[in-house]
Amino acid sequence: MDGREDGVRWTREAIEDLFRLPFPELLFRAQTVHRRRFAPDEVQASRLLSIKTGGCPEDCGYCSQSAHFDTGLKAGRLMDVEAVAEQARRAKAEGASRFCMGAAWREPKDRDLPALCAMIRAAKAEGLETCMTVGMLSEPQARALAEAGLDYYNHNIDTAPEDYGRIVSTRTFEDRLATLARVRAAGVKLCCGGIVGMGETAADRVGLLEALANMDPPPESVPVNALVPIPGTPLGDSPPLPAIELARVIAVARILMPGSQIRLSAGRERMSAEAQALCILAGANSVFVGDRLLTTDNPGPARDATLFGQLGVRLV
Ligand code: SAM
Ligand code: DTB
Ligand code: SF4
């Protein structure tokens, strides 16, 4: 099966069957689905900026920015609007089409909203799509960001509902879903995905994709992050995920969510050109460009020019 009729849920069994397919068959199906909706020689380019770094009260076990772990990261304050505007100009000049602003907060304070809205307007004025990820939102906060012109809100579910408590204890999976519903109700597109390589089971990967694919509609943008292990965090010693396993997750995500952008997100810095190419062949059609993610390194323009040049794929 290549798709889901409207209103029909993807079952766990159907998703498990996809994961069990021989890799060549899985990639063939993912590519077939991909080509119906997207040009196979285009990859969307997003640029991240950490607008407020570190000191976060949440205890996400993967994160460099949690105040619960000693990761050596220096906490900062919310950036000035003009400094953010300058970074948006740079992102545009470097070829990004979407600008994603992230803050290490559990939730924004109402008094932060005017600055966040001004940042959105500044990035829009540069001709960029905008994305923001600043934690849980109330209904009025979601509406205010929407009115400022926000295109996407990133709020990841990270892992399967049944695995969530192993990774985060300061909020629940349901808290995540409540914010996602408020974002959607405000008319902002969802960017929602997860992380692989956190020691999750095969069943957890099925559960993560089941939860994403059965959102109605599925998120317009789905980041698949390969864990960047951060020394000092509970997951800091996690071994790297084999590239074929990552490509399998991407291929299944592509088949389950044929119209979504599937982003090969964190983790590219440690991946070979061949491993990244495999993920693109599996149906990933978006990446983060630039030499930084939020607090960790990313391949940067020179390495990406070589990779995408070799592949004959355009960053758009
Ligand atoms: N504080 C906000 C929140 O958590 O919703 C926004 C920023 S947070 C850093 C955005 C997402 O980045 C997380 O949900 C997680 O999926 C991803 N992320 C954070 N640290 C990561 C890491 N070390 N490796 C891979 N992905 C990571
Ligand atoms: C997402 O899913 N990945 C991005 C973005 N959304 C905000 C963040 C990746 C962070 C990687 C670790 C870091 O640089 O701190
Ligand atoms: Fe805070 Fe977000 Fe990091 Fe969790 S992922 S500790 S909420 S910055």
Side-chain angles (χ1 to χ4, degrees):
M1 187 166 43
D2 282 343
R4 176 187 76 142
E5 283 173 43
D6 282 352
V8 178
R9 283 181 62 84
W10 280 101
T11 63
R12 281 194 81 86
E13 295 67 39
I15 301 172
E16 284 162 3
D17 286 349
L18 290 172
F19 271 105
R20 268 196 294 266
L21 284 174
F23 191 66
E25 177 65 26
L26 176 63
L27 253 62
F28 175 75
R29 291 204 201 179
Q31 292 194 358
T32 305
V33 167
H34 190 196
R35 277 154 199 259
R36 281 195 203 129
R37 306 280 196 109
F38 296 104
D41 60 346
E42 286 184 0
V43 165
Q44 188 275 333
S46 293
R47 181 69 157 97
L48 273 168
L49 176 68
S50 181
I51 58 171
K52 194 271 164 201
T53 304
C56 183
E58 303 275 49
D59 69 351
C60 312
Y62 46 77
C63 189
S64 63
Q65 308 200 68
S66 167
H68 295 258
F69 320 124
D70 184 8
T71 65
L73 186 75
K74 198 168 158 287
R77 300 172 48 147
L78 183 63
M79 285 174 72
D80 291 337
V81 175
E82 191 36 55
V84 173
E86 177 58 36
Q87 293 302 315
R89 275 191 285 280
R90 211 182 103 190
K92 178 78 180 172
E94 287 181 5
S97 58
R98 191 180 306 166
F99 190 59
C100 178
M101 295 160 268
W105 283 328
R106 174 176 167 83
E107 67 239 311
K109 298 202 169 52
D110 285 340
R111 65 165 187 263
D112 297 318
L113 264 288
L116 298 181
C117 292
M119 290 171 190
I120 292 167
R121 286 192 293 267
K124 297 282 289 181
E126 299 300 326
L128 289 156
E129 285 188 314
T130 51
C131 180
M132 202 163 247
T133 178
V134 298
M136 301 185 210
L137 296 181
S138 66
E139 277 176 33
Q141 289 175 340
R143 277 201 300 272
L145 299 181
E147 275 161 27
L150 186 67
D151 296 295
Y152 292 84
Y153 194 75
N154 168 249
H155 202 63
N156 291 339
I157 57 170
D158 285 341
T159 187
E162 52 278 15
D163 189 38
Y164 201 70
R166 181 177 68 91
I167 306 296
V168 189
S169 79
T170 48
R171 58 171 186 252
T172 64
F173 195 83
E174 287 66 36
D175 290 330
R176 270 338 233 187
L177 297 183
T179 291
L180 290 166
R182 288 178 199 125
V183 168
R184 230 181 202 147
V188 176
K189 288 180 273 211
L190 291 192
C191 173
C192 180
I195 310 180
V196 287
M198 297 195 293
E200 71 283 350
T201 63
D204 293 331
R205 287 185 199 150
V206 172
L208 167 67
L209 295 185
E210 182 190 18
L212 292 170
N214 287 319
M215 291 181 185
D216 194 13
E220 286 78 6
S221 172
V222 179
V224 178
N225 295 283
L227 177 72
V228 180
I230 310 286
T233 62
L235 298 172
D237 291 330
S238 308
L241 189 72
I244 292 173
E245 291 201 31
L246 177 60
R248 249 185 216 284
V249 173
I250 288 174
V252 175
R254 166 53 65 218
I255 295 167
L256 300 180
M257 295 171 275
S260 303
Q261 288 174 335
I262 309 286
R263 182 171 313 109
L264 172 59
S265 298
R268 292 204 300 126
E269 173 70 10
R270 293 200 306 172
M271 290 170 68
S272 68
E274 292 77 10
Q276 294 180 64
L278 204 53
C279 293
I280 300 213
L281 289 173
N285 64 344
S286 172
V287 292
F288 286 120
V289 295
D291 53 11
R292 284 298 266 178
L293 294 170
L294 290 173
T295 69
T296 65
D297 289 341
N298 196 47
R303 254 181 86 191
D304 276 347
T306 306
L307 169 66
F308 291 102
Q310 282 178 331
L311 296 177
V313 164
R314 286 188 308 127
L315 285 171
V316 297

